[in-house]
Amino acid sequence: MKRKVTKAIFPVAGLGTRFLPATKSVPKEIMTLVDRPLIQYAIDEARAAGIEDFIFVTSRGKSALEDYFDLAPDLEAALESSGKTDLLRLLRTTNMESGAIAYLRQHKPLGLGHAVSCAAKLIGDEPFAVILPDDVIAADTPCLQQMVEAYAETGGAMVAAMQVTPEKTSSYGVLDIASEDGPIVRVKGMVEKPAPGTAPSNLAVIGRYILTPRVLQNFEKITKGAGGEIQLTDAIAHELTEGRDVFGYQFSGERYDCGSKAGFLQATVAFALGRDELRDELAAYLRQLDLPAT
Ligand code: G1P
């Protein structure tokens, strides 16, 4: 029997240098898409998928992120006394139960795989999810929930997957495909950031994973990979060398790369257009823009 996935790791230790100078004082994960911080989208998606324990792997300078998840009793009292019940309700949707969040620090930036391995002791002997908050996915059924449902059938290790153009493959982990069955892909190899022209396919790993604790043990067996970093892709690929299953899941939904400025802006426009109170005004503004052809 496959166990329920109730724990998720959120690697949030990155410096966010692509968003300097903003990230000098604001962690990237607190930057807002419309009016919700990036991290809130990740938390909401995790909750929808049944996650109960939230593990943040942070670094120096991320205390604003911890503060964001604190209760705000003064603010709640002020909203209550001024009768702003809608805002009060909204604020309460972001409250986290005491004990549901754990923070631990990655002391050195040794890579995504290393960040995930830092949480090994908190994971114990259960399957767990990893969510990269930079990858924001708009979907009718949240992406991680789609994967949890698929994982209940497949077991093994599962990564979210999406077709990208051949020029983009070198920015991602890329899957070598053994066979395909609807959205589920059986994987026979994985390469992190393949050199241009060498990718085994155009199917890229996107930042949602469901992994077994065995993957954490693989960190003892792998060495530094792409970019001189300890890569999560390599630890997952090691499952294959030990004869265990790895699957890609081609989710339904629109993914935005909020680790890049262009992706962040696209997500901002898309999420704003999805909001009743903003749609008409923003759409009218966009329509009247007389953009020069490039
Ligand atoms: C990370 C992973 C990579 C994955 C990507 C998805 O890379 O290492 O395998 O394809 O996230 O966003 P990063 O974007 O942190 O360089």
Side-chain angles (χ1 to χ4, degrees):
M1 197 192 77
K2 281 147 216 135
R3 292 173 75 168
K4 237 182 120 207
V5 184
T6 60
K7 294 183 176 180
I9 301 175
F10 300 79
V12 289
L15 292 175
T17 45
R18 279 196 255 178
F19 287 92
L20 279 170
T23 44
K24 213 173 134 192
S25 68
V26 183
K28 181 176 60 174
E29 299 77 17
I30 294 288
M31 290 180 30
T32 53
L33 278 182
V34 188
D35 50 15
R36 293 167 93 72
L38 269 193
I39 196 67
Q40 188 67 52
Y41 291 87
I43 293 283
D44 291 348
E45 184 179 329
R47 275 182 164 154
I51 299 298
E52 293 163 9
D53 294 315
F54 302 79
I55 302 167
F56 288 83
V57 184
T58 71
S59 59
R60 267 184 299 272
K62 296 275 178 168
S63 41
L65 193 57
E66 298 187 22
D67 291 344
Y68 174 75
F69 288 112
D70 251 350
L71 299 186
D74 296 348
L75 185 55
E76 287 196 13
L79 293 174
E80 194 146 28
S81 65
S82 55
K84 293 184 173 155
T85 45
D86 283 358
L87 286 178
L88 189 60
R89 211 172 306 125
L90 178 71
L91 195 64
R92 287 188 173 147
T93 64
T94 67
N95 286 352
M96 302 288 283
E97 241 173 82
S98 296
I101 306 191
Y103 301 97
L104 54 96
R105 279 197 180 184
Q106 183 190 25
H107 294 296
K108 288 185 188 167
L110 299 178
L112 174 62
H114 178 260
V116 168
S117 74
C118 289
K121 284 199 180 124
L122 295 181
I123 292 298
D125 192 28
E126 291 176 37
F128 61 97
V130 178
I131 297 189
L132 309 188
D134 275 1
D135 283 329
V136 175
I137 301 170
D140 291 338
T141 303
C143 179
L144 190 64
Q145 190 182 333
Q146 297 175 36
M147 290 173 68
V148 163
E149 285 164 14
Y151 172 80
E153 303 297 322
T154 61
M158 180 175 279
V159 301
M162 183 183 101
Q163 292 286 342
V164 297
T165 55
E167 319 72 82
K168 292 268 172 80
T169 49
S170 57
S171 303
Y172 293 93
V174 180
L175 303 180
D176 194 356
I177 301 165
S179 61
E180 246 180 285
D181 180 8
I184 299 173
V185 171
R186 182 174 280 278
V187 172
K188 61 175 177 189
M190 287 174 81
V191 197
E192 181 66 14
K193 310 225 162 67
T198 67
S201 76
N202 295 330
L203 200 56
V205 176
I206 299 302
R208 303 289 184 275
Y209 307 77
I210 298 176
L211 304 174
T212 64
R214 282 185 308 245
V215 172
L216 297 171
Q217 292 162 17
N218 295 348
F219 287 108
E220 288 157 26
K221 300 169 196 155
I222 62 169
T223 51
K224 284 182 193 167
E229 298 189 334
I230 307 285
Q231 296 292 352
L232 183 57
T233 296
D234 295 344
I236 301 169
H238 196 82
E239 288 292 275
L240 297 164
T241 60
E242 305 224 339
R244 293 191 287 257
D245 292 338
V246 177
F247 299 96
Y249 185 81
Q250 303 183 82
F251 56 92
S252 318
E254 192 67 39
R255 173 259 186 177
Y256 299 93
D257 174 12
C258 290
S260 79
K261 283 179 214 171
F264 201 102
L265 291 168
Q266 287 158 19
T268 302
V269 173
F271 280 84
L273 289 174
R275 297 274 286 264
D276 291 344
E277 76 279 22
L278 296 172
R279 186 181 307 114
D280 293 349
E281 206 176 328
L282 181 61
Y285 168 73
L286 293 173
R287 267 195 296 269
Q288 60 81 46
L289 284 178
D290 193 11
L291 294 176
T294 49

